[in-house]
Amino acid sequence: MADETVRSRPLKFDTAVDMNNMLRTPVCEILGCQYPVVLAGMGGVARSELVAAVTRAGGFGFLGMVREPPALIEDEARRVRELICGNFGVNLIPAATAPALLDAQISSCIALTIPVIALFWDIQPSIVRRLKDGGAIVVYQVGSVEEAKRAEKAGIDILIAQGCEAGGHVRGNEPLARLVPKVVAASRLPVLAAGGIVTGKDLVAAISMGAQGAVIGTALLATHESFAHDYHKQRLIAAHEGDTLLTCDFHINWPAGAKVRGLNNSVTRGERGDPNSGLQEVIGDEEGRPIYLFSTDSPLRSMTGDFEAMALYAGKGVGRLLRVVSAEERVRNIVTEAENLITTRCT
């Protein structure tokens, strides 16, 4: 059971707010960051350059290492530590990773003394215990109150409540504004909010619901430091409100029935055939690794191929992103807007 001092609860914006850092919540102490702005561990996209940039701006970053070999985890962790002195984390997804590879990933993270590990999808208490025994803080992203309770029982330290507005893989069915208060009420753990958060106003709204901060994906994918291919970034900037949808069309490498939110394209319009036909069509390449039609791979800098037919992950807030900027600028804009809103409420 978490200490009462870090329990999530609605934070009141009043004259007692620390005016030197109006956004500092208890979860900042746990993660070791200045602001409760957390880079989502987006697979392939969240690499060392992006993690370092978010950290320099006062946030916290997760390396997205789903299905990546331990050698890449070691290399990316080393690069982060060369670029910054702050804490960072690694995101792993057991359900989407072969058991032998997952075992090697966990061993590598423990050996590297990665301070924080984020997990997603199914809840496996044995993995939580192994990571905590290895000295890591464990964060779990959940999509329902029931999952939150199971994750807390497994011994995790921080919950991420993911609303159905989120880009990429979406676990639950509830919108963020409904899910966060319910998870906060049901758990003694600190809760972070994820799903459609792109502005300081969104961050303040999440904190007002009882979250202690926000996990941000799409808004940080559309930055210079993101490892996403420029094609993906430009599609995000060109998108409008209502251009995303939930689909199970992109499913190779993930458990059956796992839905994702992304931009509409030829695949989601049914122009590329039946996603469940079993046929394997190569549409791209990543340094010798084939990228298949209907796979969960999104376009990366290291890829070539038919990007339009790949998974173009995007959350519902994408229509409010107007340009690609540096990650530091994105985080600072979010923080500044949030602080200005809090100042207004306190006066």
Side-chain angles (χ1 to χ4, degrees):
M1 190 68 70
D3 188 283
E4 177 66 20
T5 59
V6 297
R7 181 177 180 176
S8 276
R9 57 176 66 84
L11 301 182
K12 297 179 180 179
F13 302 114
D14 54 29
T15 53
V17 170
D18 178 1
M19 299 305 288
N20 293 318
N21 187 347
M22 292 174 283
L23 290 172
R24 193 167 185 86
T25 63
V27 80
C28 294
E29 300 293 337
I30 300 172
L31 295 176
C33 56
Q34 185 177 2
Y35 303 111
V37 176
V38 178
L39 164 66
M42 298 172 285
V45 172
R47 298 279 179 94
S48 52
E49 186 179 359
L50 183 54
V51 169
V54 169
T55 304
R56 281 193 295 267
F60 183 90
F62 283 105
L63 291 168
M65 294 286 104
V66 57
R67 291 192 308 279
E68 299 291 6
L72 182 62
I73 296 176
E74 293 166 10
D75 190 46
E76 288 295 300
R78 175 184 57 78
R79 291 180 182 179
V80 171
R81 284 169 168 156
E82 289 174 350
L83 292 168
I84 62 168
C85 296
N87 273 0
F88 68 99
V90 165
N91 185 46
L92 302 176
I93 304 179
T97 308
L101 175 56
L102 178 64
D103 179 71
Q105 288 179 327
I106 294 172
S107 294
S108 179
C109 288
I110 292 172
L112 291 165
T113 63
I114 303 296
V116 187
I117 302 294
L119 302 171
F120 185 34
W121 217 252
D122 55 355
I123 298 167
Q124 299 184 31
S126 61
I127 292 176
V128 175
R129 286 195 299 272
R130 183 178 172 190
L131 289 167
K132 289 183 68 67
D133 287 346
I137 293 167
V138 181
V139 181
Y140 234 110
Q141 181 165 270
V142 299
S144 68
V145 170
E146 293 71 24
E147 282 192 324
K149 291 178 178 178
R150 292 201 301 272
E152 182 169 1
K153 186 176 180 181
I156 62 104
D157 301 287
I158 299 170
L159 286 165
I160 300 172
Q162 184 201 45
C164 62
E165 302 93 336
H169 282 92
V170 177
R171 184 63 169 163
N173 301 306
E174 292 192 90
L176 196 65
R178 188 187 306 160
L179 179 64
V180 168
K182 288 165 65 174
V183 172
V184 169
S187 176
R188 294 176 60 86
L189 299 176
V191 177
L192 296 170
I197 297 173
V198 299
T199 66
K201 183 178 179 181
D202 296 333
L203 173 58
V204 171
I207 294 175
S208 297
M209 296 173 203
Q212 291 191 15
V215 177
I216 299 176
T218 306
L220 291 169
L221 191 159
T223 61
H224 299 309
E225 295 87 351
S226 157
F227 203 71
H229 195 279
D230 283 343
Y231 177 86
H232 195 173
K233 297 178 187 181
Q234 292 305 318
R235 284 292 303 269
L236 295 177
I237 298 305
H240 297 91
E241 183 178 357
D243 283 354
T244 70
L245 78 166
L246 283 172
T247 177
C248 293
D249 289 346
F250 301 101
H251 60 85
I252 296 175
N253 300 323
W254 267 74
K259 56 186 181 292
V260 303
R261 183 177 295 281
L263 298 175
N264 199 12
N265 67 0
S266 59
V267 170
T268 62
R269 291 191 298 268
E271 298 168 9
R272 301 303 292 262
D274 181 3
N276 299 307
S277 65
L279 296 177
Q280 291 194 326
E281 177 185 346
V282 176
I283 62 169
D285 177 88
E286 184 185 25
E287 300 174 344
R289 180 177 72 90
I291 306 299
Y292 294 100
L293 184 66
F294 309 128
S295 82
T296 57
D297 291 288
S298 64
L300 302 179
R301 294 182 196 172
S302 51
M303 289 181 185
T304 58
D306 186 357
F307 299 133
E308 191 281 334
M310 294 183 191
L312 301 173
Y313 298 130
K316 274 195 169 183
V318 67
R320 287 174 282 147
L321 298 175
L322 304 180
R323 60 193 180 97
V324 176
V325 299
S326 73
E328 291 188 58
E329 180 177 345
R330 186 81 77 204
V331 172
R332 287 173 180 156
N333 285 345
I334 290 170
V335 168
T336 299
E337 182 183 10
E339 288 181 331
N340 288 339
L341 286 169
I342 294 170
T343 300
T344 300
R345 294 186 185 192
C346 293
T347 57

